[in-house]
Amino acid sequence: MKILKIQSILLVALLASISSLSAGWEQVTALDVPVTQLSQDPTKAKESMARHFRTQIAANEAFLRESPNDPHTWESRVRIASAQGRLASLSANKEGVQQAVTRLKELERTVPDPSLKAEAMFRRISLQWQDLGATADVRRENAVANARNFSISFPQDHRSARLLAEAAALCNSHPEQKGPLLEEAISLCKEESMLQRLKDDKKQLELLGQPLDLGFTATDGSRFDLAKERGHVTAIVFWSAESAPSLVWMGYFAKYAAQEPALRVATVSLDRNKADLNAAMRTLGITWPTAFDGMGWQNAIARNFGINTLPTLWLIDKKGRLAFLNARDSYEHRVRELLQKN
């Protein structure tokens, strides 16, 4: 079955370059699998994702042309709107994203079978997640509202716990809100892997505000000891060259950190292939101390701290305490805030 899926993806990708594209439902659903093997170059990785979304759109449009009376036509339209929104988000086209969100709302209202409504709602919320608002507080409140609306509407849907977990991830500066969200997600969770993630999140929450014990031998043979960085603000980045979001985000963060000499940085790689990691570090100009053990998600440091999202940016204050659990979307403000404190 896995080989068949891969073959379907390759076939649709090939046919997408031809004007007379033909696609069956099996080929359409095969394209739901996200692209994971991407270039270490952030620009090329972005282009690969854009091609994938265009292929999804083309395949679904071909399916609708060829099978207008197929029972899956509504689902196909949902996939088109979702892919169009993702493509617009990739190019920071907010108007395009909003148009896709509006289209998904219309599809929710015209769902032919109530059992399918959760799919459209989930895709719409996932798309809205790309632009939740202009400020951290607005983004947090919108995320919590969206997640709770879905969990109330579909408490038995396995994605309810996932959305609550994602909302909780935006509450890192509000532990009083994060804790209850995690408990709610745990109560609804039916997947062992998601339950482990939620337990990891609780582990991280317990570390907040506490002195952090971290030391490792870097890829260049040097020794990094967080205790020796007392008096400085330190960023600890958990990332992977195999993770598209990591590569895109790290491109921006690396440029910022190079212009902020007061900030110390160390990274923990969750890669399995050291050659890929080294290639990405060269491309991004990264020379910070980097931990690597080739264990991927089972990286010893990541498992010890309950890391389950990439990239994750921890900020350590001048006293060596974990000040922010994941400041990846607000690091400039958070770093400045910590640098100004004694």
Side-chain angles (χ1 to χ4, degrees), residues 8-247:
S8 296
I9 292 171
L10 292 174
L11 176 60
V12 174
L14 174 63
L15 292 174
S17 64
I18 305 174
S19 58
S20 58
L21 172 65
S22 176
W25 184 242
E26 184 178 1
Q27 294 164 331
V28 165
T29 55
L31 286 166
D32 286 341
V33 178
V35 178
T36 55
Q37 295 299 318
L38 296 167
S39 168
Q40 286 79 30
D41 184 325
T43 300
K44 291 181 179 178
K46 199 172 183 179
E47 290 172 352
S48 295
M49 288 188 285
R51 281 195 299 273
H52 180 70
F53 295 138
R54 292 192 196 98
T55 301
Q56 282 186 304
I57 294 168
N60 278 280
E61 288 176 341
F63 172 76
L64 291 175
R65 282 196 308 271
E66 296 171 4
S67 311
N69 299 316
D70 190 283
H72 295 297
T73 55
W74 182 87
E75 296 168 78
S76 185
R77 292 188 180 97
V78 167
R79 282 170 166 78
I80 289 175
S82 178
Q84 288 173 333
R86 293 285 187 179
L87 189 59
S89 177
L90 207 56
S91 59
N93 178 359
K94 291 187 177 183
E95 183 178 353
V97 172
Q98 188 53 51
Q99 288 174 349
V101 168
T102 299
R103 178 58 178 149
L104 286 169
K105 286 181 179 179
E106 292 172 353
L107 287 164
E108 285 178 54
R109 290 193 291 269
T110 60
V111 61
D113 181 342
S115 67
L116 297 174
K117 187 175 181 179
E119 182 64 26
M121 188 175 182
F122 179 79
R123 287 180 183 259
R124 188 251 302 167
I125 289 175
S126 297
L127 192 54
Q128 288 177 306
W129 223 273
Q130 308 301 309
D131 184 14
L132 287 167
T135 68
D137 286 339
V138 170
R139 289 192 292 272
R140 173 171 51 83
E141 293 302 331
N142 283 338
V144 171
N146 282 336
R148 286 209 162 118
N149 284 340
F150 187 87
S151 65
I152 290 171
S153 300
F154 307 103
Q156 299 306 313
D157 193 295
H158 69 280
R159 292 169 293 192
S160 289
R162 188 174 298 277
L163 284 173
L164 288 167
E166 294 295 339
L170 296 178
C171 299
N172 290 327
S173 299
H174 296 266
E176 76 289 347
Q177 194 172 21
K178 186 181 181 76
L181 281 170
L182 291 176
E183 293 296 341
E184 187 176 346
I186 288 172
S187 71
L188 296 174
C189 189
K190 301 179 179 65
E191 302 173 71
E192 185 58 38
S193 60
M194 175 53 64
L195 189 59
Q196 182 57 56
R197 171 184 170 177
L198 293 167
K199 290 178 179 178
D200 284 344
D201 286 343
K202 285 190 68 176
K203 181 188 294 187
Q204 291 188 54
L205 189 58
E206 292 168 357
L207 293 171
L208 190 62
Q210 302 300 315
L212 200 65
D213 182 16
L214 174 62
F216 59 80
T217 299
T219 54
D220 63 1
S222 63
R223 182 70 188 171
F224 174 80
D225 187 348
L226 184 59
K228 295 181 179 179
E229 303 300 326
R230 295 285 177 91
H232 300 282
V233 174
T234 305
I236 307 297
V237 183
F238 298 86
W239 73 298
S240 168
E242 299 169 7
S243 161
S246 287
L247 286 171

Side-chain angles (χ1 to χ4, degrees), residues 262-274:
L263 176 67
R264 302 296 177 90
V265 183
T267 77
V268 178
S269 162
L270 273 69
D271 288 287
R272 290 186 177 277
N273 189 311
K274 193 172 185 179

